[in-house]
Amino acid sequence: MKLRMKPEDFIVEEIIDFNKISGKKCYLYKLTKRNIESLKAFSYISKKFRIPLKDIGYCGLKDRHALTTQYISIPKKYGKLHLDEINLKLDIVGESKFLLLGDLEGNKFTITVRGLKKDDIPKIKENLKYLHYGAPNYFDSQRFGSVFDRKFIVKEIIKGNYEEAVKIILTKYKKSEKKIIKDLKRFINKNWGDWEKVWNYIKEKNIKARLYVNMVKELKKSNDYKKALSYVDDRLKKIFVAAYQSYLWNECVKELLKSYIPKEDRIYYEYEAGTLMFYKKIDNEIFETLKDKKFPTIAPDVEYKDSYKEIIDKILKREGLSMEDLNNIGDFGRFIYTERKILSIPKNLNIGKFEEDELNKGKYKITLSYELEKGSYATIIIKRAFLGVKTKKRFR
């Protein structure tokens, strides 16, 4: 199976409650973008209309490799704006207060899965019979872009492995990164510890990427890996902390589900951070028990009780950590407590028919549409729907 062969294969539409965002301070706009990151779109609008980025309100960030519709608010003092470009459109739809991340209700997804083999269709049909039971509400791969070889930067920092944390940042890369950065990271990996040589390479290639320049400059000066980590900006620090906390939550929920799901109904899926456990089917009574149940994230300043504490202690022990250890992240911030639903249940689920795939000769395609609450990953539902079918992503 193939995902995202073109942006129109992955359509995302924001769901907001217009009554909750009513107001007179701003104009409310519908932003439609194709194959563009949300922050890049906001930056473009900011420069084109000379509006400070802080004056653009939004509810969430949307996938790059997709056709997405979301809402943004801009104070009325900048006038009524309009854009109609090939991959970016901006249309005024009314008035509102200044939008914030908490204003999002959810998202509607319309996803076309391609490249399906005829032999896989019976297996997929069986999966789809149980899709209305949803899936574990795991954080998916998009959350773990900073994870390589299942190593977490923040976990290495907690354990005092500062050199390893720096090595992940300075030598590991995704295929989608710019060639000049990939070449730099390869060079650093090959010449690890020879910071004078690496510094000369940076100057020779006229590399401007501030994070890498500052970290190498510090290492050339002091060879202090902990000091080098101080040059990571606050946005990245939050991403690194969130990645590890999200992984721990996934592991806790997987452990919890083992007490409900018989072994014969479990199926496992490898992903960037480890292994996810799905249920092929679930008993109605168990589903009713779990559908509104939440599990907390792990935070060291919270006292957990009963089964939650038992599961959390088990996962931390497996990680070789104590609750107190989670405080050892220096200026990277802190682990924030929140509660997240254990299950992700699609609403208004619509399953299309299997059709011949015009982009893959001799193969089939199918389109699914559904709505999810904010924070839930559409790709988790796709993983559930196509369990046992080999996946090939068009984009990372």
Side-chain angles (χ1 to χ4, degrees), residues 10 26 80 120 136 165 172 180 199 211-212 217 246 258 283 367:
F10 203 96
C26 300
K80 294 183 178 181
D120 285 328
K172 301 297 183 180
I180 190 171
W199 180 249
L211 173 62
Y212 309 121
K217 188 176 181 180
S246 299
K258 286 178 181 178
D283 180 81
T367 299

Side-chain angles (χ1 to χ4, degrees), residues 323-347:
M323 186 67 78
E324 292 73 26
D325 289 334
L326 300 184
N327 288 310
N328 300 332
I329 56 175
D331 65 354
F332 270 61
R334 62 190 181 92
F335 289 87
I336 298 171
Y337 179 89
T338 187
E339 293 182 349
R340 179 180 175 87
K341 282 190 174 181
I342 291 169
L343 301 186
S344 174
I345 303 168
K347 298 177 182 177

Side-chain angles (χ1 to χ4, degrees), residues 226-240:
K226 189 174 182 180
K227 278 187 178 179
L229 287 166
S230 69
Y231 291 97
V232 177
D233 66 56
D234 290 343
R235 181 184 63 86
L236 277 177
K237 287 175 182 176
K238 288 179 181 178
I239 288 173
F240 296 158

Side-chain angles (χ1 to χ4, degrees), residues 139-141 144 150 247 250 269-276:
F139 293 93
D140 204 3
S141 301
F144 304 107
R150 300 189 178 182
Y247 165 75
N250 282 358
Y269 190 104
E270 298 293 318
Y271 78 123
E272 284 79 352
T275 306
L276 301 174

